[in-house]
């Protein structure tokens, strides 16, 4: 009897050992796959980007509520250090609730910029890089930002074309062509990266930048829906490799993979959005030496942004 028990225990130990070996082999194979896919995407984009990355200091702080807040900036500066931000967004991830939120700050929002007086918020990037823009958002809206990411528009095009080789379905609401480099006609259609970029950058109509921000959020939500699927997971390392040469960020690849995997692992996950300034909290004004601005009620917008990120 004792001998039988000994044999069974030895057999169980052997099964555990085999199982652990198989698990390690699987993890190793997945790691190798991810590495080679990342390198493949990186190689595809490195030659095309061809721009040296400016090194920025960013003294970001972790959000007091435990969220991960990222300052996302869109730029077509092509390596120029003193360029204004074309697109300003705050991407917020709540690890406790598993929620993802996106707040757009309109670039003509008139705010106090530390050390530079009052000006359009997008000028903060030109005055002092992403850290001054971080300080500006903290001073005016009391939101802490831990990371930043400046995305070259060409990186957006490459990401779309790699993730969605057949295009992204969008309902284009009107004819668009002025100052976007492409021509778009109304109707539901699948857009490649270049045409989708034109769609989100168009602002030559009666609603101007308001329509542009609305389209940006519409597309980001749609991309979120289409990316959030199990089928996208195997593509993730390559997608990150593809955009890496076009993104200037203080986030490491591991952080990006962690948050991206968390997002796309659940089908149907939604992205909540907000626009700053919120409705009925601003006036259109013209400031001498600055131009047309959105003069905002700072307290109303500070409260709206904080409530949106926390709830």
């Amino acid at each position: 009897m004792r001998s039988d028990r000994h044999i069974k225990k030895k057999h169980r130990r052997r099964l555990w050992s085999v199982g652990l070996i198989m698990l390690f082999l699987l993890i190793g194979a997945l790691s190798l796959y991810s590495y080679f896919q990342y390198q493949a995407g990186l190689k595809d984009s490195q030659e095309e980007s061809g721009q040296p990355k400016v090194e920025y200091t960013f003294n970001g702080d972790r959000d007091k509520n435990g969220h991960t807040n990222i300052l996302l900036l869109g730029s077509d500066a092509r390596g120029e250090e003193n360029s204004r931000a074309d697109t300003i967004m705050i991407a917020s991830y709540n690890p406790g609730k598993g929620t993802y939120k996106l707040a757009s700050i309109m670039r003509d929002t008139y705010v106090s910029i530390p050390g530079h007086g009052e000006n359009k918020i997008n000028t903060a990037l030109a005055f002092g890089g992403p850290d001054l823009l971080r300080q500006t958002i903290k001073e005016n809206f009391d939101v802490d930002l831990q990371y930043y990411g400046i995305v070259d528009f060409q990186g957006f095009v490459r990401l779309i074309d790699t993730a969605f080789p057949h295009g992204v379905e969008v309902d284009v609401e009107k004819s668009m062509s002025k100052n976007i480099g492409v021509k778009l006609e109304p109707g539901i259609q699948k857009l490649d990266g270049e045409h989708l970029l034109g769609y989100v950058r168009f602002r030559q109509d009666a609603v101007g930048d308001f329509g542009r921000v609305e389209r940006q959020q519409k597309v980001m939500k749609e991309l979120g829906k289409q990316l959030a699927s199990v089928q996208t997971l195997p593509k993730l390392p390559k997608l990150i490799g593809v955009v890496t040469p076009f993104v200037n960020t203080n986030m490491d690849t591991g952080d990006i993979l962690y948050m991206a995997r968390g997002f796309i692992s659940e089908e149907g996950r939604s992205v909540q959005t907000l626009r700053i300034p919120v409705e009925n909290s601003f006036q259109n004004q013209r400031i001498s030496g600055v131009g047309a601005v959105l003069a905002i009620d700072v307290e109303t917008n500070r409260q709206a942004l904080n409530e949106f990120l926390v709830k």
Side-chain angles (χ1 to χ4, degrees):
M1 292 289 290
R2 186 176 301 170
S3 177
D4 288 344
R5 284 199 299 270
H6 178 73
I7 291 170
K8 288 179 180 178
K9 189 179 291 185
K10 189 174 181 180
H11 181 63
R12 282 197 297 269
R13 281 201 298 267
R14 186 178 295 130
L15 288 175
W16 272 107
S17 299
V18 171
L20 283 172
I21 291 170
M22 293 296 291
L23 179 61
F24 285 133
L25 285 173
L26 178 61
I27 292 172
L30 287 173
S31 298
L32 280 172
Y33 171 81
S34 297
Y35 173 78
F36 285 119
Q37 286 291 302
Y38 171 78
Q39 289 297 325
L42 194 62
K43 185 178 179 181
D44 286 346
S45 291
Q46 275 179 330
E47 291 184 5
E48 187 177 340
S49 67
Q51 295 292 340
K53 289 184 180 179
V54 179
E55 292 189 11
Y56 294 108
T57 298
F58 194 79
N59 300 309
D61 295 315
R62 187 167 181 81
D63 178 75
K64 56 183 176 290
N65 298 300
H67 305 169
T68 299
N69 291 337
I70 307 164
L71 176 62
L72 290 180
L73 307 173
S75 170
D76 60 354
R78 303 293 180 184
E80 295 175 19
E81 187 170 359
N82 298 321
S83 61
R84 297 187 179 195
D86 188 77
T87 299
I88 304 171
M89 293 180 173
I90 297 173
S92 183
Y93 167 57
N94 183 334
K97 297 180 179 179
T99 55
Y100 294 78
K101 298 183 179 181
L102 195 66
S104 298
I105 303 178
M106 297 187 67
R107 62 186 187 175
D108 291 340
T109 302
Y110 196 57
V111 294
S112 173
I113 299 175
H116 296 272
E118 292 186 316
N119 210 319
K120 297 180 182 183
I121 193 168
N122 71 336
T123 62
L125 183 66
F127 290 152
D131 197 60
L132 182 58
L133 187 47
R134 175 194 65 79
Q135 294 175 48
T136 301
I137 291 172
K138 175 64 177 176
E139 179 175 303
N140 289 273
F141 303 110
D142 193 27
V143 172
D144 287 308
L145 298 160
Q146 187 175 4
Y147 300 110
Y148 79 90
I150 304 175
V151 183
D152 185 286
F153 288 138
Q154 191 57 36
F156 175 84
V157 172
R158 289 302 307 273
L159 174 65
I160 296 304
D161 288 343
T162 303
F164 307 101
H166 303 296
V168 176
E169 188 171 288
V170 175
D171 187 359
V172 179
E173 61 271 23
K174 64 184 75 176
S175 295
M176 302 176 185
S177 60
K178 191 174 181 180
N179 295 340
I180 59 174
V182 294
K183 186 174 182 179
L184 300 171
E185 297 297 340
I188 297 174
Q189 54 204 281
K190 289 196 172 183
L191 302 180
D192 62 12
E194 185 179 6
H195 286 79
L196 190 63
L197 176 63
Y199 177 72
V200 299
R201 293 195 69 191
F202 180 76
R203 63 189 187 101
Q204 303 298 322
D205 58 7
V207 291
D209 214 30
F210 286 91
R212 189 177 71 106
V213 168
E214 184 178 336
R215 281 188 288 276
Q216 287 175 351
Q217 293 192 341
K218 169 185 168 182
V219 167
M220 292 295 283
K221 291 172 82 168
E222 185 59 34
L223 290 178
K225 288 179 185 177
Q226 295 189 36
L227 280 172
S229 69
V230 176
Q231 288 80 10
T232 307
L233 276 172
K235 296 182 183 178
L236 187 56
K238 185 172 183 178
L239 294 178
I240 292 174
V242 164
V243 299
T244 293
F246 299 99
V247 178
N248 188 323
T249 182
N250 63 335
M251 297 181 70
D252 61 40
T253 305
D255 291 330
I256 298 171
L257 274 169
Y258 172 74
M259 281 186 279
R261 279 199 181 113
F263 179 79
I264 68 177
S265 61
E266 182 179 320
E267 291 198 45
R269 189 189 294 278
S270 63
V271 178
Q272 300 174 52
T273 59
L274 177 75
R275 187 204 71 206
I276 295 294
V278 295
E279 290 294 335
N280 304 315
S281 70
F282 65 92
Q283 292 181 342
N284 291 295
Q285 291 186 4
R286 183 165 290 276
I287 306 294
S288 177
V290 177
V293 303
L294 300 174
I296 67 169
D297 181 324
V298 174
E299 182 55 41
T300 296
N301 283 281
R302 179 190 295 126
Q303 184 177 343
L305 182 56
N306 278 269
E307 286 180 356
F308 170 73
L309 295 175
V310 171
K311 69 180 181 182

